[in-house]
Amino acid sequence: MAASRNTILRLINASQHTSCPCHGAHAAAHHPHGQVQAINQLRHFATPVPEREYAFEVAASNLRFGDGVTREVGMDLKNMKAKKVGVFTDANVAKLRPMQSAIAALEAESDLPFEVYENVSVEPTEASWRDAIAWARKHDFSHFLAVGGGSVIDTAKAANLFTVYKDADLMDFINAPIGKGLPIKQTLRPLIAVPTTAGTGSETTGTAILDITSRAFKTGIANRALKPVLGVVDVHNTESCPTAVQISAGLDVLFHSLESYTAIPYTERVPRPANPILRPAYQGSNPVADIFSLWALQTTVKNLPRVAKEHDDPEARRQMLLASSFAGIGFGNAGVHLCHGMSYPISGLNKKGPQYKHPGYVTDLPIIPHGISVALTGPAVFEFTAPSAPDRHRQVLAIFNGTTVTDPSILKIADRDLGAHVYEAIARFLDGLGVPRGLKAIGYKSGDIGMLAEGTLPQRRVLDLAPGIGDIVGSDGREHITKILERSFDY
């Protein structure tokens, strides 16, 4: 039997209250039936109740914002007394201004040797990570520099980790239950991240994502130890980013902020870690993450359509870079949930299934860009989560509608109707950006829904933060996930 953790905790409190000395010695005698009933209900659930969390932590990289600040990375590494730098990028970025600026900055410093790895895959896999790790281990770098999008930064994080853990296998640190999810106890080498897209926020977080091709879904490593020591956020570095890439990256910002703001509260996450080193990076919504996530959401809703309409709008690109980093701080400390959990099989199964190739991406391989794969389920996800926190979803609706929660048009909506309004607002926003309307539009068939649900279920790291799923004892959420995918098939 599935039961809300809140329900169980209320029952515990009720049973304790009836016999608690601070409420009088006669309380239990007055309510013996209530106490027995509460205890019997707890026995009926037959699930031990773990202690719930009582604390949250805030961790983020140091950040530097500015036009042209990439020119400073050589000085930064010299100041850090780097002996040998491993520079990571991909074949496309290697030819562009961001990488040219970074190399010039390194070459301007005396006695600062470096090697460049430009074979990062646009969608990293086990194989591409292993190749990068083997290269990094061979050189034993003292410091790392990543110049590129999330795939580049994430690959550099993995290379850094396994340079320190020379004998570890990739699956030792991959999130459980897919991998062992071991804690990272050793200090990693300093990593500077220079993002060239306004999307993943990887320059601020300890998260790294890859495609587990053997299981046709994505997962990753999430640990604060992975976070860069410095994120260098330079608006010049998105000038060469194609519009399609900027839109997809911006959608990632949008859903990072939405999901972290609507995740279950950190106090509802169980079990409480036995040791602080085991406290996950993804903790649930909390007061600090809320501030960053809300600002990122407001900024993205305002500026992403501007970027889509006018690629050369520097102020809109500047705001999106800020939003990306702010959302990174938000979700890096709160977490994401359903949209991201379902996006991993949506993109992973594409290679063997629909083989959809999104317009505007320079690749010969099938690709559903990460931001697109996350957005496809967005309307249905927040229709589903709206009842869990009406006030938060009312705030979300107001932002999409360009108003405030005190607007009569927002206030008059009953809580029970809020989900439908949020669904329509998000769908309308995505339409304006040219996002495919559902799974059918990218080639999936209705018969694929079960397979997509199966690929979502192992993503416990994020599903356990989803309202209506992560806060339900005794249920893996299969029924709800399937219904959300069905609702996202065609709209």
Side-chain angles (χ1 to χ4, degrees), residues 27 89 96 138 182 264 295 300 320 372 377 446:
T89 191
L96 301 175
K138 180 176 66 175
L182 297 179
I264 63 171
W295 189 91
T300 301
M320 284 305 302
I372 299 295
T377 60
S446 58

Side-chain angles (χ1 to χ4, degrees), residues 229-380:
V229 296
L230 175 63
V232 176
V233 185
D234 184 344
V235 72
H236 291 334
N237 289 342
T238 60
E239 289 174 353
S240 55
C241 186
T243 299
V245 177
Q246 293 203 46
I247 291 172
S248 177
L251 290 170
D252 203 16
V253 180
L254 182 76
F255 288 99
H256 281 159
S257 54
L258 277 169
E259 291 173 67
S260 57
Y261 184 61
T262 57
I264 63 171
Y266 75 94
T267 52
E268 297 301 324
R269 197 191 74 252
V270 294
R272 179 195 305 171
N275 186 307
I277 198 173
L278 301 176
R279 181 167 285 118
Y282 286 9
Q283 303 169 92
S285 60
N286 60 76
V288 174
D290 287 350
I291 293 169
F292 286 92
S293 297
L294 261 183
W295 189 91
L297 176 60
Q298 292 168 328
T299 302
T300 301
V301 169
K302 179 179 178 180
N303 289 280
L304 185 54
R306 288 175 58 184
V307 171
K309 182 178 180 180
E310 181 53 65
H311 176 275
D312 294 323
D313 184 336
E315 183 55 28
R317 286 191 291 106
R318 182 177 292 106
Q319 292 300 312
M320 284 305 302
L321 274 166
L322 283 167
S324 176
S325 293
F326 272 50
I329 296 169
F331 91 86
N333 290 287
V336 289
H337 55 76
L338 287 167
C339 295
H340 274 76
M342 289 184 280
S343 78
Y344 299 143
I346 288 171
S347 57
L349 289 164
N350 181 52
K351 297 176 180 65
K352 296 179 181 178
Q355 298 190 335
Y356 174 81
K357 181 181 175 184
H358 194 65
Y361 274 69
V362 184
T363 177
D364 295 326
L365 301 174
I367 183 171
I368 304 172
H370 177 61
I372 299 295
S373 67
V374 169
L376 289 167
T377 60

Side-chain angles (χ1 to χ4, degrees), residues 58 76 98 100 151 164 195 201 234 249 317 338 356-357 386 389 469 491:
V58 179
D76 288 320
Q100 293 166 359
S151 297
V164 173
D234 184 344
R317 286 191 291 106
L338 287 167
Y356 174 81
K357 181 181 175 184
I469 293 176
Y491 58 87

